[in-house]
Structure formats: C-alpha cells, structure tokens
Amino acid sequence: MIQYIAIDPDRLQAMRDSGADESGNPWTLRPADGDEPLRCCLTWATPGEDIALISYNPWTQRSPWAETGPVYVHFDRCAGYSTPGEYPPAFLDYASMLNPFQPDGERAYGHITFLRPEDDHEAAVRLVLAQPDVSYLHVRSANAGCFTFEVRP
Ligand SMILES: [Zn+2]
C-alpha cells in the first residue's frame, strides 16, 4: 500500500526542543497568513495560527540530491498526518512536482512529473511508483519548489 509520509514528528520535536532547525535557524514563532502548506500534518494553516518557517532536508542518508529548503510547520507539536494510506486531501489540487528516486538513491530523471491542480494526483503517483527503476518519490510544490511530502510504495 502506498504511504504518504509527513515529516517525522520526533525529528521535528527534537528541533523544537533544541530551539533551532537542523541548519541552526532559531525556532521562531510567526502567525500564519492562512495560505501556508504545513508539512507536519499535511494541511493548510489557518489565519493567525502559530507556525514556524524552518529549513528542512528530507533525506536521512547522505545524497548529492539532498536539497535542504524552506518548509512551514506548526510551531508546537501537532497530531501529525494520521491517514498515511491516503493522498493528503489538502494537496489533491496543488500544483506539484513528483521527484522520483531509484533504489540506489539516484534521481530517476526520466520519471519527473509535473501536475496541474486539475490532474489526477493519485493516478500520477501510482504510475511513477510502478516504474521498475523508481523506489520512492518526493512531492514538491511545482511553483515554489519546496518539499511537500514523501511517498513510498
Ligand atoms: Zn502540524
């Protein structure tokens, strides 16, 4: 079953506890405008909600493709993403890029896929993950490039 994976809650909590993200940026409260995608629970912020903008690297192993970039998360610990078997409903109409990787960790350039809001995101994920040279993928914002969530078969 395909798994849609938000940022590891324990890894995020360790950053909150240390007062900084893994790049050393202070964990700073900012009130949400209400249009920020939250990578801790895969929803959208509501206006005035307590959030933080952090620098995040979705890899846990060394990789030349290990991009570190900006993501919004809840300032305080939240419930996380509770339905990992389901494509996050909040992002089904999000202009997205599917960034796939091979089993050996190399980027699968031939299967990079851009999705418009009206495209069938679930079908596109299934198609890319069905390729024999793809073992997982990252969903990114097609407009801003920011990491959104990880998908594994
Ligand atoms: Zn959250």
Side-chain angles (χ1 to χ4, degrees):
M1 185 171 161
I2 294 176
Q3 295 290 301
Y4 299 88
I5 304 162
I7 298 177
D8 176 3
D10 292 335
R11 186 175 165 191
L12 262 187
Q13 191 56 41
M15 297 182 218
R16 290 188 187 96
D17 292 345
S18 77
D21 66 27
E22 292 168 350
S23 298
N25 300 296
W27 196 270
T28 306
L29 174 66
R30 56 193 283 156
D33 292 332
D35 58 0
E36 297 90 347
L38 299 171
R39 277 55 158 231
C40 42
C41 45
L42 305 181
T43 55
W44 291 85
T46 54
E49 205 170 2
D50 289 352
I51 62 172
L53 178 61
I54 66 166
S55 192
Y56 176 71
N57 173 354
W59 276 262
T60 52
Q61 293 146 341
R62 241 186 276 267
S63 163
W65 289 276
E67 294 172 72
T68 300
V71 297
Y72 291 107
V73 294
H74 274 119
F75 182 77
D76 296 308
R77 188 168 190 136
C78 68
Y81 186 55
S82 58
T83 53
E86 185 187 353
Y87 197 106
F91 295 100
L92 278 169
D93 60 355
Y94 190 52
S96 299
M97 172 200 185
L98 306 183
N99 191 27
F101 293 88
Q102 300 175 11
D104 62 3
E106 297 259 328
R107 195 176 188 187
Y109 284 92
H111 303 300
I112 293 170
T113 303
F114 283 88
L115 299 174
R116 296 163 299 175
E118 63 269 29
D119 290 335
D120 185 336
H121 289 42
E122 293 170 283
V125 162
R126 281 196 300 272
L127 184 66
V128 171
L129 285 180
Q131 306 306 313
D133 53 340
V134 171
S135 69
Y136 65 98
L137 63 86
H138 290 166
V139 176
R140 287 181 173 267
S141 160
N143 296 320
C146 311
F147 173 80
T148 313
F149 54 88
E150 183 170 326
V151 189
R152 289 186 176 269

